[in-house]
């Protein structure tokens, strides 16, 4: 994945990505590592954070709008609105789920909380889910095996990758793989394609297909 | 043509001499030539040629040929079937009537003219000779008398010295019984050489469940079958509809898709001494009573409504004819209204619009409008607010509104209001919005809407807006109450405050180690937070009452997200709203725990950022129940690295947050916040932010509702109406689950069609479920038969597929279901019992069978000498010497007699 600094104004697709998971698993660090090649201890996210990155994948110019949510329970009712696959121009909602390999309960929360949140709030049935095991640099503290991660991903139909925001191992690959998968999914592409102004209040296209043409 | 006849191919090489032929002989040879041709072709070739399929019969075809003789033309028809199983089963419905009557294979008849007796017998002998010439075993028939009498005489060459003579007569009306008796006796006496004549006897009786006329009062079939308790109340009103207690009955009354059932009772073979049968056959009326060892009971029942005629089903389920009224038909109209709405800018246009519009849509009188509004706004029971009942799991993905919500009920009413024309919808909507505005202005709670909770973004925008308004009205009412109680003009709601203080006082008295410090009174506590102790003070940590996140509709969310994305890369966005919430939580926490430090707050709010030295306490969060009874103090641990960083934004907010219980805080629902640089709506100048924000957002909502474009309204109505209609039907209880598959939907019209299919099936299932309440496996079996039969047409707009296909699935009744089935035949009422006068017996609960089929046959032992030399296939055996087939209703009974005789 080549990062194009300088943010060109044109792009073929706009994809909206969302990061969810327990607090402290390193979502913000991963995002920072991806967007600015840097690693630092960040203040815990308050509610939500947002970053944009332009990339070129598979010959397509992409604008990635990445929403980074706080894991604290208190913020959860609010962050639910970020699952919606809607923004001004073009949409392709993608959700990445995280767990921290150094903490056992972040793994169990994946199925207890986060998978359910996706089911409940996601408005796009085809959205690509990706499980990212962060902090592989702390191999000695590992509490969740790679196999467990793979098993979970298989059960919930996710992509799976292990990475480290600190060492930047697999960070680019993580986003690249996710984006490639979106590019392979026609329904997501249609929503994310540039130039088509979509009715953002529309949750599912079929109900209003007949009307799109006659809409003012 | 079946079995034996197909094997014996005729020889073509033999020579016929026509030189001396008379016109009669030429006529015979013409028939013979045709018969030979038909024989030679066999069913398969005939099918390729010009065989015609008989109407509504699966496997019966005919070919015909015309002849002239003595200035008259005759037509000869040959009926055959293609299934070469070689056996003719009794009660096979695919057979021609004559085949049924005589139990023979392929009848052949000349028809189309009225023949007098000599002509008929002359014709018959011509055919008989022709058939005999080509060694054909087909029976032949010619009609006698008027065609309406359906009387025939016939003859069949048995391939032996025997010839079977056949006679079919129809008996009409009043004389049926007497003639039937006489015929039976004649049959009995036809061969009196022996005293004890053993007769084979088969009978099939078809009973039809009584059909309830409109004049007749509907009766419960059986106390065991229907849930009597439910219907007691209804019955006192006299007339009830079958679907009165089904969920759709509020909106429309459907015709019962299952009109009734037919019960087939079959006695297969009984061989008995003839006099016994004559005495007893009429008494064979209740199959339950005689299901003993000597009679094999073989009952079947089937859905008569569907069975009657395949086309009935298709017409009933047809799409565009508009004959059936249901949710589907109304949704069709709504979609039409949606089409029309695209041209207009204002809803009002449709009310005061052009003449053509006025003529197109009839608006019901004001009384109807009043009734609808009254139902929507005033007659709301608490039970209706439980919105999750009966909601299908996939209905959430339709952007509508919960079934019992105000907007969903509005949409359902709109479907039935003035035939759902755009004009009627416009009238109803304007009144609806007027009523909503009244609720706001008079501070009346908005009915059918929750006044709290978070706004569900998966619902349509109108529903979200109404929810928002309901919350605002509720806040306003609380404010109003507060003013009544207190005398000062503060923002505080006193009632609320008093409530809040109760738990804090209670917990304070429980906290043993807690010293009372009047200066630091606890305020706004929601109770103790697990077993956690404060760090710097030996007190139990209390969780504060926090402000609800502000209700936000999706357009408000859109606004925020757009603002954030517009700032994009250049700005490190962090939601101001979320910061406000955090600050609010901190203030409330400080108020509830006056001695708390930042670390305490983090332990409660973000437990992962507190690294506890005591391993036992790992993972304690605010939701955990009290586990440790003895609490060590002070707790030891430290903030996580990221939380303890210099310049940590959390600590900054903490330092700035004043201790303030939620009830005294500035509300989060504040129009002045953040990027909303919209011009403020008129403010009453009081400066009270609660009131300001409520007025602002309410004005916002009402403005939205009042200026909504017709198209936007209709779009949301379509979604909501679909969802509400589906949810309504989904409340129907029955075993089988038919669900709407939203993946297959291509467009709205197709969706309507699919919906109609589903609706019909649900009605069918509901009806079956009701009728077989105590026997769900039967209901299930019937339904899946119908479903399988119907499935190929699902999802297609045109239901006119293979209309010739008949639904004729039957279910065998098991012994455990017998009482249930018999119970469906309620004893006839007084005005029905006149029919008993003509009764021929075989009554089932007083019901005469609608159709009888009885076969008597008698076999004689025939010795070898009787056989003709050229038929080596037949060996010594019993042959059927007499056979009587009685078939028909009591008013139209046909008797077919076949007598085999030695020529």
């Amino acid at each position: 994945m080549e990062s194009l600094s300088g943010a060109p104004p044109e792009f073929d697709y706009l994809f909206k990505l969302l990061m969810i998971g327990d607090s402290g698993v390193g979502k913000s660090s991963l995002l920072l590592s991806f967007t600015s090649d840097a690693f630092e201890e960040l203040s815990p996210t308050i509610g939500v954070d947002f970053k944009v990155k332009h990339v070129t994948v598979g010959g397509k110019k992409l604008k990635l709008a990445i929403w980074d949510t706080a894991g604290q329970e208190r913020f959860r009712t609010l962050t639910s609105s970020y699952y919606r696959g809607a923004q001004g121009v073009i949409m392709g909602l993608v959700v990445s789920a995280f767990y921290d390999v150094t903490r056992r309960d972040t793994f169990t929360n994946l199925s207890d909380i986060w998978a359910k949140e996706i089911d409940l709030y996601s408005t796009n049935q085809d959205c690509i889910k990706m499980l990212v095991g962060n902090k592989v640099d702390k191999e000695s503290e590992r509490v969740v095996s790679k196999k467990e991660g793979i098993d979970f991903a298989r059960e919930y139909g996710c992509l799976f990758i292990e990475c480290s925001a600190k060492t930047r191992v697999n960070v680019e690959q993580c986003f690249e793989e996710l984006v490639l998968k979106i590019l392979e999914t026609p329904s997501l592409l249609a929503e994310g394609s540039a130039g088509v102004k979509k009715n953002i209040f529309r949750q599912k296209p079929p109900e209003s297909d007949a009307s799109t043409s006659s809409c003012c | 043509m079946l079995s034996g006849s197909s094997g014996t191919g005729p020889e073509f090489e033999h020579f016929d001499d026509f030189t001396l032929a008379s016109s009669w002989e030429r006529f015979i040879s013409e028939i013979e030539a045709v018969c030979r041709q038909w024989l030679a072709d066999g069913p398969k070739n005939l099918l390729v040629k010009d065989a015609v399929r008989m109407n509504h019969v699966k496997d019966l075809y005919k070919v015909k040929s015309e002849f002239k003789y003595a200035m008259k033309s005759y037509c000869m028809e040959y009926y055959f079937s293609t299934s070469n199983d070689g056996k003719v089963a009794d009660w096979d419905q695919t057979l021609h009537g004559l085949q049924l009557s005589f139990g023979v294979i392929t009848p052949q008849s000349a028809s189309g003219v009225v023949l007098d007796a000599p002509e008929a017998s002359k014709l018959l002998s011509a055919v008989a000779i022709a058939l005999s010439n080509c060694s054909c075993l087909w029976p032949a028939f010619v009609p006698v008398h008027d065609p309406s009498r359906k009387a025939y005489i016939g003859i069949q060459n048995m391939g032996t010295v025997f010839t079977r003579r056949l006679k079919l007569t129809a008996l009409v009306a009043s004389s049926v019984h007497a003639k039937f008796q006489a015929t039976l006796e004649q049959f009995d006496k036809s061969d009196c050489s022996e005293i004890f004549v053993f007769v084979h006897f088969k009978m099939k009786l078809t009973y039809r469940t009584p059909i309830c006329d409109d004049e007749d009062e509907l009766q419960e079939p059986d106390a065991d079958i229907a849930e009597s308790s439910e219907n007691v109340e209804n019955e006192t009103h006299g007339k009830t509809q079958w679907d009165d207690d089904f969920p759709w009955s509020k909106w429309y009354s459907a015709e019962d898709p299952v009109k009734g059932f037919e019960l087939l009772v079959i006695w297969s073979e009984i061989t008995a001494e003839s006099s016994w049968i004559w005495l007893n056959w009429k008494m064979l009326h209740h199959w339950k009573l005689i299901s003993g060892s000597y009679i094999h009971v073989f009952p079947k029942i089937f859905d008569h409504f569907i069975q009657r005629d395949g086309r009935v089903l298709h017409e009933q389920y047809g799409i565009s004819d508009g004959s059936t009224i249901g949710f589907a038909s109304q949704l069709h109209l709504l979609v039409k209204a949606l089409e029309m709405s695209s041209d207009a800018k204002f809803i009002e246009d449709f009310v005061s619009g052009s003449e053509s519009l006025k003529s197109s849509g009839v608006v019901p009188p004001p009384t109807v409008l009043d009734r609808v509004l009254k139902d929507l706004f005033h007659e709301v029971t608490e039970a209706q607010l439980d919105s999750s009942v009966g909601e299908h799991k996939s209905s959430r993905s339709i952007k509508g509104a919960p079934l019992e919500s105000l907007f969903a009920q509005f949409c359902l009413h709109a479907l039935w209001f003035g035939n759902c024309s755009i004009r009627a919808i416009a009238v109803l909507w304007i009144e609806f919005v007027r009523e909503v505005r009244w609720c706001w202005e008079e501070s009346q709670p908005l009915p059918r809407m929750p006044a709290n909770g978070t706004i569900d973004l998966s619902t349509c925008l109108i529903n979200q807006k109404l929810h928002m308004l309901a919350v605002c009205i509720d806040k306003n009412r609380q404010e109003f109450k507060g003013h009544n109680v207190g005398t000062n003009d503060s923002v505080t709601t006193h009632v609320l405050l008093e409530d809040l203080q109760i738990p804090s006082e209670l917990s304070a008295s429980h906290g043993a180690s807690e010293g009372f410090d009047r200066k630091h009174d606890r305020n706004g506590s929601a109770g103790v937070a697990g077993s956690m102790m404060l760090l710097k003070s030996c007190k139990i940590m209390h969780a504060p009452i926090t402000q609800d996140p502000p209700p936000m509709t999706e357009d408000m969310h859109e606004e925020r997200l757009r603002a954030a994305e517009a700032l994009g890369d250049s700005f490190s966005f962090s939601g101001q709203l979320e910061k406000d919430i955090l600050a609010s939580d901190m203030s409330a926490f400080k108020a509830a725990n006056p001695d708390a430090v930042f670390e305490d707050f983090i332990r409660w709010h973000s437990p992962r950022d507190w690294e506890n030295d005591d391993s036992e306490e790992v993972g304690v969060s605010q939701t955990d129940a009290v586990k440790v009874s003895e609490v060590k103090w002070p707790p030891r641990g430290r903030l996580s690295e990221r939380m303890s960083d210099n310049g940590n934004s959390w600590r900054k907010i903490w330092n700035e947050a004043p201790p303030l219980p939620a009830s005294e805080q500035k509300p989060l629902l504040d129009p002045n916040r953040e990027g909303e640089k919209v011009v403020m709506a008129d403010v009453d100048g009081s400066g009270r932010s609660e009131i300001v924000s409520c007025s602002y957002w309410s004005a916002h909502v009402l403005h939205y509702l009042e200026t909504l474009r017709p198209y936007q309204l209709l779009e949301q109505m379509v979604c909501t109406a679909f969802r509400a209609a589906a949810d309504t039907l989904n409340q129907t209880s029955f075993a089988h689950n038919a669900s709407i598959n939203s993946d297959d939907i291509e467009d709205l019209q197709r969706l309507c069609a699919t919906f109609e299919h589903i609706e019909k099936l649900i009605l069918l299932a509901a009806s079956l479920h009701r009728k077989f309440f105590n026997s769900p496996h039967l209901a299930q079996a019937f339904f899946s038969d119908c479903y399988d039969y119907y499935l190929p047409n699902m999802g297609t707009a045109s239901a006119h597929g293979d209309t010739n296909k008949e639904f004729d699935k039957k279910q065998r009744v098991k012994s455990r279901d017998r009482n249930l089935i018999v119970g469906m035949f309620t004893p006839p009422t007084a005005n029905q019992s006149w029919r008993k006068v003509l009764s021929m017996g075989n009554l089932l609960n007083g019901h005469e069978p609608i159709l009888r089929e009885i076969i008597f046959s008698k076999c004689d032992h025939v010795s070898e000498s009787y056989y003709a030399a050229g038929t080596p296939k037949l060996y010594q055996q019993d042959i059927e010497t007499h056979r009587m087939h009685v078939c028909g209703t009591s008013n139209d009974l046909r008797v077919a007699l076949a007598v085999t005789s030695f020529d």
Side-chain angles (χ1 to χ4, degrees), chain B residues 163 229 256 259 272 299 303 420 497 501 520 537 578 597 636 646 717 755 766 788 801 862 877:
Chain B
T163 304
S229 57
D256 191 343
K259 296 277 184 274
D303 179 350
C420 201
L497 245 181
Q501 280 167 341
H520 297 286
S537 157
E578 281 84 355
V597 292
R636 272 171 300 183
N646 280 336
M717 278 181 71
F755 196 95
D788 292 344
V862 214
Q877 65 170 66

Side-chain angles (χ1 to χ4, degrees), chain B residues 280-562:
Chain B
N280 290 288
W281 76 269
K282 284 209 305 189
M283 307 306 290
L284 296 178
H285 60 282
H286 200 300
W287 47 279
K288 192 182 89 176
L289 297 178
I290 52 166
S291 60
S293 55
Y294 64 103
I295 294 177
H296 177 55
V297 181
F298 198 82
K300 299 172 178 180
I301 69 173
F302 60 92
D303 179 350
H304 133 71
F305 162 69
I306 292 172
Q307 185 269 341
R308 236 195 212 162
D309 183 349
R311 284 173 306 177
V312 171
L313 181 73
H314 287 284
E315 276 161 24
Q316 287 288 324
Y317 289 169
I319 299 310
S320 51
D321 59 356
S323 59
T324 47
I325 300 292
F327 281 123
S329 65
Q330 301 310 105
L331 288 170
H332 256 291
L333 296 172
L334 185 60
V335 172
K336 271 183 200 155
L338 172 69
E339 271 173 22
M340 290 183 71
S341 70
S342 57
D343 303 330
K345 278 195 174 161
F346 304 106
I347 309 274
E348 286 79 4
D349 292 353
F350 292 104
V351 180
S352 56
S354 64
E355 285 303 311
S356 62
L357 258 175
K358 278 184 184 166
S359 59
S360 68
V362 181
V363 177
T367 50
V368 178
L369 184 66
D370 286 347
R371 194 170 45 74
V372 169
L373 291 175
K374 203 174 157 206
D375 181 78
L376 277 172
F377 286 91
H378 303 300
E379 288 166 0
V380 186
T381 58
E382 281 299 312
Q384 285 173 322
L385 291 173
D386 188 8
S387 58
S388 58
V389 175
E391 196 171 86
H392 194 267
K393 62 178 187 301
S394 67
S395 68
R396 256 187 68 92
S397 65
I398 301 174
K399 208 159 167 52
L403 178 57
E404 293 300 338
S405 69
L406 187 57
F407 186 60
Q409 290 296 309
F410 166 82
C411 289
L412 288 178
H413 271 295
L415 286 179
W416 305 94
F417 184 75
N419 221 14
C420 201
S421 68
I422 181 77
R423 191 157 167 251
I425 290 171
V427 169
L428 187 59
W429 174 253
I430 288 167
E431 289 305 317
F432 176 81
V433 174
R434 199 167 288 168
E435 202 74 17
V436 169
R437 176 175 272 285
W438 180 87
C439 285
W440 161 249
E441 283 170 354
E442 299 296 318
S443 275
Q444 293 300 312
L446 208 55
R448 302 175 188 273
M449 294 306 291
N452 48 29
T454 48
I455 290 174
D456 187 352
L457 300 179
S458 69
T459 62
C460 68
L461 188 55
I462 292 177
N463 184 63
Q464 293 179 34
K465 294 274 187 190
L466 289 172
H467 190 170
M468 179 82 159
L469 188 64
V471 171
C472 288
I473 290 174
D474 188 60
K475 281 222 160 67
N476 224 27
R477 282 166 62 84
Q478 283 182 18
E479 181 71 15
F480 186 66
K481 257 199 224 162
H483 277 289
N484 279 356
V485 173
T487 48
N488 62 0
D489 203 32
S490 92
V491 185
T492 324
T493 56
H494 292 252
V495 180
L496 214 63
L497 245 181
E498 281 157 17
D499 288 344
L500 300 186
Q501 280 167 341
I502 293 165
S504 68
E505 279 160 11
L506 276 176
S507 55
S509 59
H510 282 275
S513 57
E514 191 175 338
F516 279 90
D517 186 347
R518 284 286 157 196
K519 261 172 80 182
H520 297 286
D521 259 359
R522 211 179 272 292
N523 213 345
S525 160
V528 292
S531 60
M532 279 194 283
M533 302 292 289
L534 296 181
L535 287 168
K536 296 287 154 77
S537 157
C538 186
K539 287 176 185 171
I540 292 177
M541 185 192 291
H542 281 236
I545 287 176
T546 52
Q547 283 203 57
D548 279 340
M552 286 174 77
T553 55
E554 69 183 15
D555 51 344
M556 292 159 77
H557 282 291
E558 302 301 341
E559 193 62 39
R560 295 187 68 230
L561 298 195
R562 231 187 325 255

Side-chain angles (χ1 to χ4, degrees), chain B residues 100-116:
Chain B
L100 274 181
S101 301
F102 295 99
V104 292
I105 300 158
T106 46
Q108 181 180 352
S109 68
S111 64
V113 284
V114 181
L115 305 171
D116 57 17

Side-chain angles (χ1 to χ4, degrees), chain A residues 33-65:
Chain A
S33 175
F34 174 61
T35 52
S36 49
D37 302 349
F39 179 79
E40 53 184 276
E41 279 290 347
L42 296 163
S43 282
T45 311
I46 299 171
V48 68
D49 203 352
F50 170 73
K51 291 269 189 301
V52 168
K53 180 156 172 123
H54 289 267
V55 294
T56 302
V57 175
K60 301 283 183 201
K61 288 179 185 169
L62 306 175
K63 178 180 177 182
L64 304 181

